[in-house]
Amino acid sequence: MRVAFFSTKSYDRQSFDHLLPDYKHKVTYFEAKLDRNTVALAKGHDAICTFVNDCLDETILDQLHEMGIKAIVLRCAGYNQVDLKMAAKLDIKLCRVPAYSPEAVAEHALALLMTLSRKTHKAYNRVRDNNYSIEGLTGFNINGKTTGVIGTGAIGKAFCKIMLGMGCKVLAYDIYENEELKRMGVRYMPLEELLAESDIISLHCPLNADTFHLINENTLSHMKDGVVLINTSRGALIDSKAVINALKSRKVGNLGIDVYEQEEDLFFQNRSEEILQDEQIARLMTFPNVLITGHQAFLTNEALVHISETTLQNLDELASGGKLSNEVKYQPKGHKN
Ligand code: NAD
């Protein structure tokens, strides 16, 4: 297949170029993010390959269809950025890379948590400045704390196991319970109870109509004072305005996020010479107890290998017209994915 790759970085090209000689697909790499200004680049291809912040709304899908694009392969697990109903209507096939390395994301959630708990980001800068004062670096033990995990699919499950290993009591909320986790001692409960009992809360559910702004003024009010909130899932699970207020009132004691509600126009670019226009992320950055990374939880060597292998296999299956192992299908509300 002739495939247009959008939002490609050096690490994508490296991992795909390594494997491409073994496949028949002809790839064109574009650095540009897919949007209304760049969609024309797809012309002359059979399929496109996109990442988390590429826009696949109704208008773009329609334009892709007009150009003869028959398939979209996502280099990611989440697919909240795709208008699935429209893709189905246009008969554009969609495949993703499920669970390419749940541990990569779960370990990044732990990295955010441990950086916040021991302030290693501050210590690093102090020591490099010949400043060995440890005043203000008092942290907290994770061992013995209660951790609430929202969404116990592939990543949430890996995170539950890590936190059990850290000596935490682990609570979980999901629309489906995982029997293996229950046997390991994870306790499922209604969301409100989890929010009220947890010292640490980590989000691992997908973004959809039910989970949009799951963390809002109301749900924040149910949490313990000083709760640690970690989000490596999708930005819009958290209402940024509400969490800023909760940080100001100290309801949220620490916030670690790898994803941000308005990240589409910010992340994956060096903007260090630009004037930051997003007031909310600017405010979030002013808090001493907020740690932000730019959607890098997936970025390990192991995950990149898995992403490129699965994406090329997805393209093979699409080209052969056979069964699609990793197809994402439009499911009207009420269906289990
Ligand atoms: P998964 O599909 O294996 O698990 C998601 C879980 O969430 C499932 O158990 C599902 O039942 C549960 N869920 C669905 N709706 C829910 C709701 N309303 N309330 C509670 N739970 C609900 O997905 P995964 O591979 O574990 O990935 C989870 C999310 O992590 C993805 O959707 C993606 O947004 C995000 N992600 C982020 C990165 C990153 O680099 N930061 C990388 C990969 C994935």
Side-chain angles (χ1 to χ4, degrees):
M1 291 182 112
R2 294 165 303 167
V3 193
F5 274 50
F6 285 87
S7 298
T8 46
K9 302 286 176 194
S10 61
Y11 48 80
D12 295 308
R13 286 192 289 273
Q14 249 169 34
S15 57
F16 278 93
D17 282 349
H18 184 68
L19 296 175
L20 275 170
D22 298 333
Y23 290 82
K24 292 207 176 80
H25 310 292
K26 206 170 166 319
V27 160
T28 319
Y29 294 122
F30 296 112
E31 234 180 88
K33 181 165 90 88
L34 175 63
D35 59 24
R36 281 162 177 64
N37 299 320
T38 61
V39 62
L41 294 169
K43 227 175 257 169
H45 298 86
D46 309 301
I48 61 164
C49 179
T50 62
F51 196 49
V52 289
N53 289 331
D54 288 304
C55 176
L56 288 158
D57 64 9
E58 193 175 338
T59 311
I60 302 261
L61 288 171
D62 201 34
Q63 286 176 282
L64 290 169
H65 180 250
E66 288 291 307
M67 286 173 209
I69 296 295
K70 293 173 195 64
I72 300 169
V73 282
L74 305 176
R75 301 193 298 280
C76 53
Y79 45 86
N80 55 285
Q81 71 279 26
V82 189
D83 185 331
L84 294 181
K85 195 174 176 186
M86 187 63 175
K89 189 175 153 198
L90 299 171
D91 197 25
I92 297 178
K93 298 273 180 234
L94 184 74
C95 294
R96 65 174 182 139
V97 186
Y100 46 79
S101 179
E103 290 75 19
V105 183
E107 287 172 15
H108 192 77
L110 177 69
L112 291 174
L113 173 61
M114 291 196 68
T115 307
L116 287 165
S117 73
R118 302 311 301 267
K119 309 189 187 197
T120 44
H121 53 321
K122 294 181 184 178
Y124 173 79
N125 284 322
R126 277 197 199 179
V127 171
R128 282 171 71 92
D129 199 28
N130 222 18
N131 173 359
Y132 306 99
S133 162
I134 57 171
E135 286 287 342
L137 295 184
T138 308
F140 59 89
N141 285 13
I142 292 172
N143 182 276
K145 294 286 186 299
T146 300
T147 298
V149 180
I150 301 180
T152 54
I155 297 169
K157 181 172 144 190
F159 189 72
C160 284
K161 289 182 180 175
I162 291 174
M163 298 314 282
L164 287 169
M166 296 288 292
C168 286
K169 180 171 147 191
V170 180
L171 313 178
Y173 169 71
D174 196 306
I175 46 177
Y176 304 104
E177 300 189 353
N178 180 298
E179 294 305 319
E180 183 193 346
L181 288 178
K182 277 161 81 172
R183 283 194 295 276
M184 295 176 83
V186 172
R187 195 152 59 87
Y188 281 87
M189 55 178 55
L191 181 62
E192 267 191 26
E193 283 176 35
L194 178 146
L195 299 177
E197 285 187 36
S198 302
D199 302 301
I200 298 160
I201 296 174
S202 193
L203 307 181
H204 299 288
C205 57
L207 174 64
N208 56 37
D210 294 332
T211 59
F212 177 78
H213 283 185
L214 181 78
I215 305 302
N216 54 44
E217 193 183 340
N218 176 42
T219 47
L220 281 160
S221 72
H222 289 94
M223 295 180 195
K224 279 188 182 178
D225 289 343
V227 64
V228 182
L229 196 54
I230 304 290
N231 186 11
T232 55
S233 197
R234 284 291 179 267
L237 293 178
I238 298 183
D239 175 351
S240 306
K241 204 170 153 205
V243 91
I244 287 170
N245 287 334
L247 281 157
K248 282 161 82 176
S249 69
R250 297 193 179 269
K251 167 60 88 181
V252 172
N254 283 282
L255 175 72
I257 54 174
D258 184 51
V259 285
Y260 168 64
E261 221 180 336
Q262 260 85 250
E263 72 175 53
E264 284 83 3
D265 298 326
L266 275 178
F267 283 13
F268 303 120
Q269 301 290 337
N270 176 2
R271 302 190 187 280
S272 52
E273 295 302 314
E274 295 176 17
I275 305 299
L276 180 57
Q277 300 294 334
D278 187 314
E279 303 292 341
Q280 283 185 330
I281 201 163
R283 182 66 178 104
L284 283 170
M285 286 179 199
T286 65
F287 292 99
N289 49 353
V290 172
L291 181 64
I292 307 174
T293 53
H295 209 138
Q296 67 170 85
F298 73 97
L299 193 59
T300 66
N301 290 325
E302 292 79 359
L304 288 174
V305 169
H306 202 117
I307 288 171
S308 47
E309 282 174 354
T310 309
T311 301
L312 290 166
Q313 283 158 17
N314 286 344
L315 285 169
D316 270 0
E317 290 181 359
L318 283 160
S320 73
K323 186 181 169 293
L324 300 175
S325 318
N326 300 310
E327 185 173 16
V328 182
K329 278 190 177 164
Y330 170 65
Q331 304 277 23
K333 223 172 150 53
H335 279 245
K336 183 185 188 302
N337 277 331

